[in-house]
Amino acid sequence: MDFIIAILLGIIAGTFAGLLPGVGATVSVLILFPIFLTFDPINIIVCFVSLYSMTQYVGSVPALLIGVPGEASSLPAVVEGQKLKVQNKISDAIAYTAIGSLLGSIIVVGLTLIGGPLIENIAKIYRTPVQTILIFLVLIMMLFYKENKTSQNIFLISFGYILGMIGIHGDLNREFLTFGNPNLYFGLPVFPVILSLFVFPLFLKTVETSNNIKITPFKIRLTYFITFFKHITSSLRGTVLGFIGGFCPGMTHAFSSQLAYNTEKIVTKDSLKSVISSETANNAGAFSAILPLIVLGIPISSSEALLLAILETKSFAFSINDFLPILQKSAIALLIVNVIGIMIAWPLAKHLCKIFLCNQKMLYSILFLLLVCLNYYIGTLYYSGNFYMIVLLSLLPIGYLLKKLNTMPLIFCFIISNYSIELLWISYQLYLK
């Protein structure tokens, strides 16, 4: 029963995360934080996988119907959506992207399940030195995160590490910037840091760029399942490229989408096929992006890093023994998500977009206030409600100053700072000393 609840919760959260710009997987995990504390680790992962996949299904809906990218990976759909409106092909695009996403997800999940034992054997090769190299490769990729200048990324990474290192860390016998305050001995709490330095600037930027919304009408025909086969090559191409692109640290499904889109524009130069390929790639990339976490315990996105931090509060650590059970449950969850996802992203699409007819400033203000209340509530669970609020209020001005930047590298490094330092220390002790 908990397994089904986790899937349904992921579907609901993923639907809103995919619809509303700025409310991606990271924000959704923050909102679900109190609920996750009541789940067992496996169901937390199942919920996250369901949420992550659903955001990609739904993200194309506002991108095509109203020109608003619910997810960064849906930017190609925004660009080509304008051309498809002129060509009167929006109905085709909505249908084919939903069907393509279903096909791509099923293929990727099926092949991963078949190759599960092989992946397990490959994972056994990885030991501390390889994990250390991989995690620092992810950090190097963060330096070139495309939404910021390299100098800005260096600042964000450094600031994230400084914040993450605050506290007393017994393994390395070090104390850093605690100023003798017992509240800081265990470091800064994750929730208020992410809320002030990631969610707050992201919401500010989203509200400032919101425009008047008009929903493009579209038609629903079951014959689209048959006519889709005219475009199946584009969908399959998107599946392969999307799966490969999903492994790109920090960009994951957004890179998958762009890679498939650019390739399709070279191959066909057709707007409809380009959207089908890029949106199929979203879903394929969404699944491959979580494999490094499940197999190796290595996060390659801010939402996965946050998930890892939550799992650590449950004393859960990824291991090769847990890999196949997690993969199998995640695969079952994804099949259920795909069946429901195609209905939400196609027949129900025009109803979903009505949320954009609401006052956007009011909508995001209410959502942020909800997160502030959750921040205090989560703090009270650790007998630190006031401390959580002090951290939030102290960092909000910095979040405001960073509103023109994408602070994902900062948050990612804040969460994995101690994890990466410990990996480096263990590698030094075992292999270099």
Side-chain angles (χ1 to χ4, degrees):
M1 187 63 184
D2 288 345
F3 177 69
I4 299 298
I5 292 173
I7 295 173
L8 294 177
L9 187 63
I11 289 172
I12 294 169
T15 298
F16 284 100
L19 270 179
L20 297 174
V23 187
T26 304
V27 177
S28 299
V29 172
L30 279 177
I31 294 173
L32 296 176
F33 200 113
I35 300 175
F36 280 168
L37 294 177
T38 67
F39 281 4
D40 67 73
I42 302 298
N43 284 328
I44 292 175
I45 298 169
V46 166
C47 185
F48 176 79
V49 169
S50 303
L51 184 160
Y52 206 64
S53 179
M54 199 65 191
T55 59
Q56 302 313 305
Y57 252 110
V58 178
S60 61
V61 173
L64 290 169
L65 293 185
I66 58 180
V68 175
E71 276 279 310
S73 55
S74 295
L75 285 172
V78 173
V79 175
E80 297 300 331
Q82 301 301 317
K83 300 175 185 178
L84 292 170
K85 287 178 184 177
V86 174
Q87 299 170 15
N88 198 28
K89 291 184 178 179
I90 286 295
S91 297
D92 297 354
I94 288 288
Y96 294 150
T97 53
I99 297 170
S101 295
L102 175 66
L103 177 65
S105 293
I106 290 175
I107 290 174
V108 166
V109 171
L111 290 177
T112 304
L113 278 177
I114 293 172
L118 175 62
I119 296 173
E120 183 179 13
N121 290 330
I122 294 173
K124 289 177 180 177
I125 298 172
Y126 288 86
R127 292 294 182 265
T128 300
V130 181
Q131 284 183 312
T132 306
I133 292 169
L134 285 175
I135 202 71
F136 279 96
L137 281 176
V138 173
L139 290 173
I140 291 171
M141 292 291 293
M142 289 291 169
L143 287 172
F144 305 101
Y145 191 64
K146 66 177 183 177
E147 293 188 40
N148 307 317
K149 296 178 181 178
T150 302
S151 58
Q152 292 170 335
N153 285 330
I154 291 173
F155 165 74
L156 293 172
I157 289 171
S158 302
F159 189 42
Y161 257 91
I162 290 171
L163 292 178
M165 289 168 62
I166 292 174
I168 296 176
H169 302 277
D171 291 341
L172 301 181
N173 193 28
R174 63 178 172 84
E175 180 177 345
F176 186 70
L177 294 181
T178 63
F179 307 106
N181 187 337
N183 286 315
L184 293 174
Y185 287 170
F186 297 99
L188 291 176
V190 172
F191 197 101
V193 173
I194 295 180
L195 184 53
S196 55
L197 298 181
F198 181 77
V199 178
F200 182 58
L202 189 60
F203 278 15
L204 286 176
K205 186 163 56 177
T206 301
V207 170
E208 287 177 0
T209 56
S210 61
N211 301 309
N212 293 326
I213 302 298
K214 291 184 179 179
I215 302 174
T216 304
F218 70 96
K219 298 177 182 178
I220 302 167
R221 302 189 189 98
L222 291 177
T223 52
Y224 278 125
F225 280 103
I226 299 173
T227 55
F228 170 78
F229 285 95
K230 295 187 296 184
H231 309 285
I232 195 168
T233 304
S234 298
S235 184
L236 292 175
R237 201 155 33 228
T239 300
V240 175
L241 294 174
F243 185 78
I244 295 171
F247 290 103
C248 182
M251 298 171 68
T252 60
H253 49 269
F255 179 72
S256 294
S257 174
Q258 204 63 46
L259 178 64
Y261 173 69
N262 291 334
T263 302
E264 203 64 27
K265 292 298 287 185
I266 294 172
V267 174
T268 67
K269 295 182 173 64
D270 182 273
S271 293
L272 181 58
K273 290 183 177 180
S274 298
V275 170
I276 293 170
S277 184
S278 66
E279 290 301 316
T280 302
N282 288 353
N283 284 58
F287 185 69
S288 60
I290 64 173
L291 286 178
L293 181 66
I294 294 175
V295 177
L296 304 170
I298 295 177
I300 61 172
S301 69
S302 58
S303 57
E304 290 180 17
L306 176 58
L307 180 70
L308 184 62
I310 294 172
L311 290 171
E312 286 175 351
T313 66
K314 311 281 282 187
S315 300
F316 178 83
F318 287 95
S319 70
I320 197 63
N321 296 325
D322 298 317
F323 163 64
L324 280 179
I326 292 174
L327 182 65
Q328 289 165 356
K329 284 200 170 186
S330 297
I332 294 170
L334 281 174
L335 291 176
I336 296 172
V337 169
N338 277 280
V339 172
I340 298 175
I342 193 171
M343 292 188 288
I344 292 176
W346 185 16
L348 299 177
K350 58 185 176 183
H351 301 294
L352 291 178
C353 285
K354 290 179 180 178
I355 194 172
F356 286 95
L357 301 179
C358 303
N359 184 302
Q360 295 297 290
K361 288 185 179 180
M362 181 67 71
L363 182 64
Y364 280 91
S365 297
I366 292 172
L367 187 56
F368 186 74
L369 286 174
L370 171 64
L371 287 166
V372 171
C373 293
L374 282 176
N375 176 64
Y376 181 75
Y377 169 73
I378 291 170
T380 60
L381 296 178
Y382 299 101
Y383 307 100
S384 305
N386 291 334
F387 177 62
Y388 271 56
M389 293 302 294
I390 290 171
V391 173
L392 174 64
L393 294 174
S394 300
L395 294 177
L396 277 179
I398 300 176
Y400 179 81
L401 294 174
L402 297 176
K403 66 178 181 178
K404 292 186 178 180
L405 302 180
N406 188 317
T407 57
M408 194 274 282
L410 186 159
I411 295 304
F412 183 87
C413 291
F414 164 72
I415 294 174
I416 68 154
S417 58
N418 288 303
Y419 173 69
S420 58
I421 290 172
E422 285 172 10
L423 274 181
L424 187 63
W425 176 251
I426 292 170
S427 295
Y428 169 76
Q429 291 286 338
L430 292 177
Y431 302 99
L432 298 177
K433 192 171 181 179

